[in-house]
Amino acid sequence: MAHRLFEGKEHAEAYLRFRVSPSDHLIQQVVDFVEKKKGRPFDLALDVGCGSGQGSTLLAKHFASVVATDISPAQIEMAVAHASMPNVTYKLSTAEELPLATGSVDLVTAMSAFHWFDRPCFLQEAHRVLKPHGCLALLNYTLDMELSHEDCPSDTLNAICEEFYAALRPHFSPHLRSTSKPLYKESYEAIPYPHKEW
Ligand SMILES: C[S@@+](CC[C@H](N)C(=O)[O-])C[C@H]1O[C@@H](n2cnc3c(N)ncnc32)[C@H](O)[C@@H]1O
């Protein structure tokens, strides 16, 4: 079953302003995995559930072209209006029916989005569009991580974050409860690809 959130115009505007981008380091780790398992050329990446496109933009540095899709017209509108890379094409589409040809994609990503999809349908579609030896990367963050910053002692920083998350917890989606980690772990273990990295 798919879960539909983050789709309204106001939400899309807030995403564009405040959404934290994945790090270059994380994207590089994904690209290194594709290099190792499939090799070059890096023709096409597909970023599913792209939101306002922060992650899609980072992929564009590594791939000849990127198709970035989202179910929300408002998110796609924001992404198109603020696009900064000419090799990214934004398309309105569901994760469960991807607008690309069979066997055409080197890398499929879903960044903080996979948990909202109809996961079995999406995984089947991702498999369909991937080239032989193409890669699938499911990225997400958790709240139970240890944080550190040069300007703040770790204990203080982690205590502040814990207080912040405690205030938010009553509003978390019942679908995810307090963490999405078990959902990802379960999918990771069930995905039948021979080469996997957690
Ligand atoms: C939490 S946001 C993440 C956006 C972006 N990837 C990021 O990291 O900032 C999840 C996105 O997935 C999209 N989404 C949710 N369900 C979807 C579905 N079934 N098909 C395609 N996109 C979907 C939402 O509209 C939203 O933009």
Side-chain angles (χ1 to χ4, degrees):
M1 189 175 104
H3 297 260
R4 306 205 37 181
L5 298 164
F6 316 110
E7 291 187 33
K9 197 166 171 11
E10 271 180 32
H11 206 118
E13 278 165 3
Y15 253 58
L16 186 74
R17 286 184 65 199
F18 301 116
R19 185 72 178 162
V20 176
S21 175
S23 67
D24 280 319
H25 176 71
L26 179 61
I27 297 297
Q28 188 62 54
Q29 278 183 287
V30 172
V31 169
D32 288 347
F33 186 86
V34 184
E35 176 108 56
K36 202 164 61 178
K37 299 297 174 191
K38 193 201 129 287
R40 290 176 185 267
F42 290 175
D43 296 320
L44 178 60
L46 168 64
D47 184 28
V48 185
C50 64
S52 37
Q54 287 87 338
S56 326
T57 302
L58 294 182
L59 287 173
K61 296 179 196 163
H62 300 277
F63 289 82
S65 44
V66 176
V67 172
T69 64
D70 203 283
I71 201 170
S72 157
Q75 292 278 18
I76 291 294
E77 210 176 289
M78 282 294 142
V80 169
H82 298 272
S84 59
M85 296 293 274
N87 58 337
V88 182
T89 308
Y90 292 97
K91 291 189 180 183
L92 191 64
S93 132
T94 71
E96 296 79 15
E97 207 169 327
L98 297 170
L100 288 171
T102 300
S104 62
V105 178
D106 298 285
L107 169 69
V108 174
T109 57
M111 308 193 201
S112 309
F114 172 67
H115 45 273
W116 303 118
F117 303 161
D118 179 325
R119 294 187 296 282
C121 285
F122 164 69
L123 289 173
Q124 219 170 9
E125 266 296 85
H127 187 73
R128 181 186 67 75
V129 300
L130 279 172
K131 291 178 182 173
H133 305 292
C135 299
L136 167 68
L138 305 175
L139 313 183
N140 200 21
Y141 58 90
T142 66
L143 304 184
D144 57 350
M145 55 194 166
E146 286 289 306
L147 302 169
S148 61
H149 192 277
E150 60 197 23
D151 294 337
C152 184
S154 276
D155 287 354
T156 311
L157 185 60
N158 285 300
I160 292 169
C161 282
E162 183 41 45
E163 192 183 332
F164 173 65
Y165 291 137
L168 292 184
R169 221 163 261 132
H171 309 286
F172 280 7
S173 160
H175 170 59
L176 294 182
R177 301 175 200 279
S178 60
T179 172
S180 58
K181 212 167 171 178
L183 181 155
Y184 276 81
K185 199 81 194 173
E186 195 182 297
S187 295
Y188 176 76
E189 270 151 24
I191 289 170
Y193 295 146
H195 305 289
K196 300 193 275 191
E197 275 179 27
W198 174 253

